[in-house]
Amino acid sequence: MMASNEDHPHGDETVGGAEREIKRGITVMKKVIRDRDRGVLIKVHWNEGGQLIEPNGSTLTSFIGALVRNEVPITCDNWRNKQLNEAKDKIWSEIKRCFDIEENRRDHCLKLAGKLLRGFRTFLSTTFLRDTEGTFVDAELPSKYASLISPKEWETFKSKRKTQEFKSVSETNRQRASSPAYPYRKGRVGYGRLEQSILTKENSSETSLPAHVLWKEARVGKDGKIKEDVQQIFEKCETLSQSIVPYEDTDCRSILSRALDVPEYSGRVRGKGFGITQKSLNIKKQKTPSNKELQQTLEALKAEVLELRKERERDRAAGFKDTSDKDSINCNFQPTIPEGISPCHLYLARPTYRMVGKGKVHNNLGELLHTKPLPTGSLKVSVDIALEKDALLPHPDDVSDATLLGDAIGSFVAWPTDLIIVGYETPTKSKAKDKGIAREIESVASQKEIPVAKKTEISKRTGAKKKNPSKYRACLHTYLETTDISDGCVRLIPMDGAIFGFEYAEPLGKEDFDQILYHTQLSVGVINTYMRYLYDKLMGPRGLEQRFSFLNPMKTNLTEMIRKPDEVRTYVVERFMADTDREKLFFLPFNTGDGGHWLLVVINPFKEIVYYLDSLHKDWTTYPAMKTIVDTIIQTVRAQRKIQVPKRKANNITWNRVECPRQRNNIDCGYYTLRFMKETLLMDRTDIPSDYFDEYRCAYYSKDQLDEIKEELCQFIIELQVL
């Protein structure tokens, strides 16, 4: 099994014969104990995926192996047994005494302990209870382990290995592990530390590697050679990664699993190793354009802005002129587009601003379309390539009855002038066709093949693709340059009544946009806009409105609670009472007013539970006015629902402080609050674990995770077409 190859099963032994093992002795981690006695905590490090890495990753692993062998008997077959809770608590307590480690790493360390215990039991069976032919041997307790294993435990352990049930399972596992198709060749080096060494050696700015790249590197031998079958799988992954269009992809398997043609497993991520779960890397994202398409859109927007600036300068230089003669000649002739026939990109603005095709624009005086005048504000174009065949034509063709772009290939249609970008080269035949890749699954941006030499060079270096984390922010920045936002004007974001319980328009001005573009403290306007994004993109499509809801932070901040407590109570009680027959979570992004710190309060009025998520790791006692108001609201709802409780339990409202990721500066609190809401919705759970969700648990959010929030905001604002 691959998992057993990632880290040695028991941390400090090497399987290779009983004699050798006895000579070595038992690992007791003296250095760790000496440091502990001196009051020195050993710092451990983690990669972006939450895996142990160096320095001190292997030290902690070996220490956990020594602890679990001392604290848990080898007769334990079920690591989830509640009778082991005391031993697990002791193991975690000892880890914290010796290592500088966050509380939210407990789950990872205990899972690793369970894995190491299983490996130790396997080692004992293989080394002492089987001969060279695999036949069971009734061996005595090895003297080496007499301090760890009692004679009674050893006899019980042997008796379990004699049963027919165990022999059957053991034989199946042995056959499966004896001849893997693509054996792991890095010994005790786990995937996490392997990835770290590759990135360090390559001096790469990337924080992680694609799974198929890491998988290939894990199968390179000491001689540096790669077997042909492994290289073939890797090249197949490279081809798939270039040809798959993410937002059209319906296969939930990873690139590596598709290349290997095997199913995914819920307990692990293929090619990533211990500590990374399938759910954390398999979140379904909203359909988004490819990087190439966004880059072309950005370049087109920049060119358009430059042309608008030039036109404005020409107008200023010419002064005020009477344009009535010009208008009367032909309102469809556009001086900003070259006269005559020019190649062009064709865009649509709804539901998102995107390129949908390529063709040629005919900008001539008196130009007609099928002997009829062109619609006002449009030009005649011939459609050569349809990147979205199902895109609706902005002006359906009455002559051919064409309504879709794919039906208009080779014919003339009318296209709005402001959605025509002049300038492109007709692409040559794609090499992808020769490789058997259908034209429909090429990148919808330019459908040009990536040069083979360049792709090979990248693959040899790290295999990691260059990230473009700010594509939507760049687009939004370009949009804003053409507006009057900088002059103090605002844009209104419509808020449906279902989001906060009342309908209104949220104003966004230059300050708000700058917060997203330049990563500064978030305002309530930006927070509310992102909640509308969550409502539109997550809650609506997934049918989560029955389980989750929002409270408007403008009506429920600390200032309002102190100045207008009755109004706050009335608003929240009405929201709660609208859904009294079902369990539901209400998100309250709470602004403390002392420097604008954001935290998240999540209320389950049905069960009278309040979850408190503060990225500064404070608790609710810091804000007593807020807690008093929330408790009073829940008690009011209880009374209106006519729930009877004993007087002594009237104040028994449960407050749970969640060990959520922690911010590392005084700016990120708003972004953390937004991620807490998003991740809770993605989990679709009406309870939040006290140590946060396994799938998203980390010490702090990375730059990419915070950039993801900004990218979603920018894309959403562009899609709303409020600019």
Side-chain angles (χ1 to χ4, degrees):
M1 294 183 293
M2 288 185 202
S4 64
N5 291 324
E6 295 170 17
D7 293 290
H8 195 277
H10 50 282
D12 59 357
E13 265 87 26
T14 304
V15 178
E19 258 188 333
R20 183 177 174 184
E21 291 302 321
I22 293 174
K23 288 180 180 179
R24 176 176 174 178
I26 297 176
T27 297
V28 292
M29 307 301 294
K30 291 181 180 179
K31 182 181 181 303
V32 175
I33 302 303
R34 284 197 299 267
D35 286 343
R36 182 197 67 188
D37 293 340
R38 294 200 308 266
V40 177
L41 293 179
I42 301 173
K43 179 67 177 177
V44 290
H45 299 267
W46 310 80
N47 65 11
E48 190 176 64
Q51 295 171 303
L52 273 170
I53 56 175
E54 302 301 339
N56 301 320
S58 55
T59 301
L60 175 57
T61 300
S62 295
F63 184 70
I64 292 174
L67 282 176
V68 76
R69 290 192 291 276
N70 274 284
E71 299 300 330
V72 182
I74 60 173
T75 54
C76 168
D77 295 323
N78 182 7
W79 184 248
R80 296 184 178 88
N81 193 323
K82 292 183 179 180
Q83 294 180 357
L84 294 178
N85 287 348
E86 185 176 348
K88 290 179 181 179
D89 289 341
K90 188 172 182 180
I91 291 171
W92 177 241
S93 176
E94 285 299 316
I95 292 172
K96 293 197 69 175
R97 287 181 65 197
C98 301
F99 292 85
D100 182 9
I101 188 169
E102 300 88 354
E103 186 68 26
N104 58 10
R105 302 295 184 182
R106 173 188 168 103
D107 189 55
H108 176 94
C109 291
L110 291 182
K111 285 181 180 178
L112 178 57
K115 177 187 173 186
L116 295 174
L117 178 64
R118 291 192 298 274
F120 181 51
R121 292 201 307 266
T122 301
F123 160 75
L124 292 174
S125 294
T126 305
T127 307
F128 301 106
L129 299 182
R130 291 186 182 278
D131 58 20
T132 55
E133 296 178 359
T135 305
F136 181 84
V137 177
D138 190 9
E140 296 294 326
L141 171 64
S143 58
K144 173 182 175 179
Y145 298 104
S147 62
L148 300 177
I149 306 169
S150 69
K152 183 178 180 181
E153 287 175 354
W154 180 251
E155 292 302 319
T156 304
F157 179 76
K158 287 195 302 181
S159 65
K160 288 184 177 181
R161 263 65 187 160
K162 292 178 183 179
T163 63
Q164 189 59 41
E165 180 184 1
F166 178 83
K167 289 180 180 179
S168 176
V169 173
S170 178
E171 184 61 25
T172 300
N173 290 337
R174 187 182 302 106
Q175 290 179 1
R176 185 174 59 183
S178 61
S179 56
Y182 310 98
Y184 183 93
R185 305 183 68 184
K186 294 301 179 182
R188 293 176 59 184
V189 179
Y191 277 100
R193 294 195 287 274
L194 175 63
E195 183 179 61
Q196 180 189 21
S197 66
I198 295 171
L199 293 174
T200 302
K201 183 179 178 181
E202 297 292 343
N203 196 23
S204 173
S205 60
E206 300 289 337
T207 56
S208 64
L209 294 173
H212 66 278
V213 175
L214 198 55
W215 179 87
K216 183 198 76 169
E217 293 295 332
R219 282 147 186 83
V220 177
K222 292 182 179 179
D223 56 2
K225 295 181 180 179
I226 304 174
K227 290 188 176 181
E228 185 178 350
D229 54 351
V230 172
Q231 184 63 30
Q232 288 175 352
I233 293 295
F234 175 76
E235 290 175 355
K236 187 175 181 181
C237 289
E238 285 289 280
T239 303
L240 282 170
S241 65
Q242 297 293 338
S243 61
I244 291 174
V245 181
Y247 56 95
E248 293 180 357
D249 187 24
T250 57
D251 193 338
C252 62
R253 294 181 301 167
S254 67
I255 295 291
L256 180 56
S257 292
R258 296 185 216 190
L260 293 169
D261 195 21
V262 292
E264 294 280 34
Y265 293 94
S266 59
R268 61 173 171 150
V269 176
R270 193 177 300 276
K272 281 293 186 178
F274 178 81
I276 295 183
T277 63
Q278 184 67 33
K279 289 183 180 179
S280 65
L281 297 183
N282 199 35
I283 300 169
K284 294 184 178 179
K285 298 183 178 179
Q286 296 295 319
K287 294 182 178 181
T288 56
S290 66
N291 285 345
K292 288 184 180 179
E293 186 177 4
L294 260 296
Q295 187 62 34
Q296 287 195 337
T297 303
L298 177 59
E299 294 301 324
L301 285 170
K302 287 180 178 179
E304 188 176 357
V305 170
L306 182 62
E307 189 61 39
L308 287 170
R309 286 176 175 172
K310 290 179 179 179
E311 184 179 0
R312 185 170 58 186
E313 292 301 321
R314 288 195 296 267
D315 291 343
R316 288 177 179 174
F320 294 96
K321 295 183 178 181
D322 183 6
T323 59
S324 58
D325 292 339
K326 176 182 173 182
D327 292 340
S328 64
I329 295 173
N330 187 340
C331 63
N332 288 331
F333 179 79
Q334 297 296 328
T336 57
I337 294 179
E339 185 174 359
I341 302 175
S342 306
C344 64
H345 296 110
L346 304 176
Y347 284 77
L348 288 178
R350 296 178 183 275
T352 60
Y353 187 85
R354 68 207 187 280
M355 185 173 66
V356 295
K358 300 179 181 181
K360 296 180 182 66
V361 58
H362 297 247
N363 188 29
N364 300 306
L365 291 173
E367 190 76 56
L368 299 175
L369 179 64
H370 307 311
T371 71
K372 295 181 181 180
L374 287 160
T376 303
S378 298
L379 289 175
K380 177 181 175 180
V381 301
S382 58
V383 180
D384 297 334
I385 297 174
L387 301 178
E388 287 190 21
K389 294 182 179 180
D390 295 333
L392 292 173
L393 292 171
H395 299 290
D397 189 349
D398 296 333
V399 174
S400 63
D401 294 328
T403 58
L404 303 178
L405 185 61
D407 301 331
I409 296 175
S411 63
F412 294 99
V413 296
W415 207 273
T417 307
D418 59 346
L419 296 176
I420 299 173
I421 305 297
V422 173
Y424 84 94
E425 295 181 1
T426 303
T428 57
K429 179 182 178 182
S430 170
K431 296 179 184 178
K433 283 187 175 182
D434 299 330
K435 294 183 179 181
I437 301 174
R439 185 75 177 182
E440 291 82 355
I441 65 171
E442 291 184 64
S443 169
V444 297
S446 65
Q447 297 186 340
K448 292 182 181 178
E449 180 70 14
I450 296 176
V452 175
K454 184 176 181 182
K455 186 171 72 174
T456 306
E457 181 183 344
I458 295 173
S459 302
K460 284 182 179 179
R461 188 166 67 249
T462 62
K465 298 179 184 177
K466 183 174 179 61
K467 294 182 181 179
N468 183 19
S470 60
K471 51 191 177 184
Y472 283 111
R473 273 176 285 162
C475 287
L476 181 62
H477 186 272
T478 305
Y479 270 126
L480 292 174
E481 286 188 343
T482 67
T483 70
D484 53 5
I485 296 293
S486 297
D487 299 327
C489 295
V490 300
R491 294 297 184 268
L492 300 177
I493 307 296
M495 293 290 177
D496 188 88
I499 302 175
F500 295 122
F502 59 96
E503 189 174 330
Y504 77 107
E506 185 70 55
L508 293 183
K510 184 178 185 303
E511 252 185 39
D512 303 297
F513 291 116
D514 285 349
Q515 291 164 9
I516 306 171
L517 296 174
Y518 305 116
H519 194 85
T520 59
Q521 184 82 3
L522 294 184
S523 66
V524 68
V526 176
I527 297 287
N528 286 344
T529 301
Y530 190 79
M531 284 197 280
R532 184 192 154 174
Y533 162 80
L534 292 176
Y535 184 85
D536 287 2
K537 301 296 184 178
L538 279 182
M539 291 176 65
R542 300 189 181 201
L544 301 178
E545 306 99 318
Q546 303 301 315
R547 294 164 59 79
F548 302 93
S549 196
F550 298 111
L551 297 172
N552 190 303
M554 181 64 78
K555 286 181 166 288
T556 53
N557 58 61
L558 187 61
T559 303
E560 292 294 303
M561 288 182 174
I562 294 173
R563 292 180 181 177
K564 305 174 184 177
D566 292 339
E567 291 184 13
V568 174
R569 281 195 293 268
T570 300
Y571 166 64
V572 179
V573 168
E574 287 179 356
R575 290 287 284 159
F576 287 176
M577 289 302 296
D579 291 280
T580 57
D581 57 343
R582 67 173 71 93
E583 186 176 353
K584 192 173 188 179
L585 287 188
F586 287 83
F587 295 110
L588 168 56
F590 180 72
N591 191 278
T592 63
D594 52 355
H597 176 60
W598 288 100
L599 57 89
L600 182 64
V601 178
V602 186
I603 308 171
N604 184 337
F606 190 87
K607 288 189 174 180
E608 300 188 356
I609 298 175
V610 182
Y611 300 99
Y612 185 89
L613 296 88
D614 187 348
S615 54
L616 291 180
H617 281 205
K618 298 180 181 178
D619 60 35
W620 54 83
T621 58
T622 312
Y623 313 105
M626 179 270 294
K627 183 179 186 301
T628 300
I629 288 285
V630 172
D631 285 348
T632 303
I633 289 170
I634 293 176
Q635 290 168 351
T636 303
V637 171
R638 180 198 298 162
Q640 293 192 16
R641 291 174 59 203
K642 298 181 180 178
I643 304 291
Q644 300 294 327
V645 297
K647 190 173 182 179
R648 66 179 182 277
K649 295 184 178 180
N651 296 322
N652 283 6
I653 296 169
T654 304
W655 282 72
N656 290 337
R657 178 177 174 271
V658 178
E659 289 290 336
C660 51
R662 185 170 188 167
Q663 69 184 83
R664 296 185 292 173
N665 55 37
N666 59 354
I667 294 173
D668 291 345
C669 56
Y671 299 98
Y672 274 62
T673 297
L674 298 181
R675 278 204 72 94
F676 297 156
M677 289 191 288
K678 175 184 175 180
E679 290 168 355
T680 305
L681 287 172
L682 288 171
M683 292 304 299
D684 190 12
R685 290 174 54 174
T686 54
D687 68 298
I688 303 177
S690 59
D691 53 356
Y692 206 55
F693 303 110
D694 289 345
E695 291 77 3
Y696 300 108
R697 191 177 301 154
C698 58
Y700 53 83
Y701 289 130
S702 66
K703 180 180 180 297
D704 287 344
Q705 287 174 302
L706 301 185
D707 282 346
E708 183 180 288
I709 298 295
K710 290 180 277 191
E711 287 293 282
E712 290 168 343
L713 273 165
C714 291
Q715 181 185 6
F716 187 57
I717 291 170
I718 292 171
E719 290 178 358
L720 290 176
Q721 299 184 18
V722 296
L723 300 175

